[in-house]
Amino acid sequence: MRFRFPVVIIDEDFRSENASGIGIRVLVKAIEDEGLEVLGATSLRRPDLVRAAAEPGFGVHPVD
């Protein structure tokens, strides 16, 4: 069985050119290379993230 769901990454440095921003984008690329869809944002205010959160079975798993 193969599950299809987006991985949502919300990080305030997502678009920054500092080490944190570059690192998170490298992580996104690695996840995408494994065949998963990634939605990246600096906040949860994006309409596509709100729609994804409304999907049945949506789960939020924070990682610090």
Side-chain angles (χ1 to χ4, degrees):
M1 176 183 269
R2 186 151 177 99
F3 296 99
R4 298 215 20 102
F5 56 87
V7 174
V8 178
I9 297 177
I10 302 170
D11 187 272
E12 64 186 14
D13 291 327
F14 192 82
R15 304 218 187 289
S16 298
E17 291 303 319
N18 59 22
S20 177
I22 292 167
I24 200 71
R25 289 190 301 276
V26 168
L27 175 62
V28 167
K29 173 82 169 86
I31 294 170
E32 289 174 336
D33 288 348
E34 292 296 320
L36 295 169
E37 176 187 4
V38 178
L39 300 174
T42 56
S43 74
L44 189 56
R45 293 188 178 147
R46 282 183 37 187
D48 56 340
L49 297 181
V50 173
R51 277 192 303 276
E55 291 291 317
F58 179 81
V60 175
H61 304 282
V63 178
D64 290 325

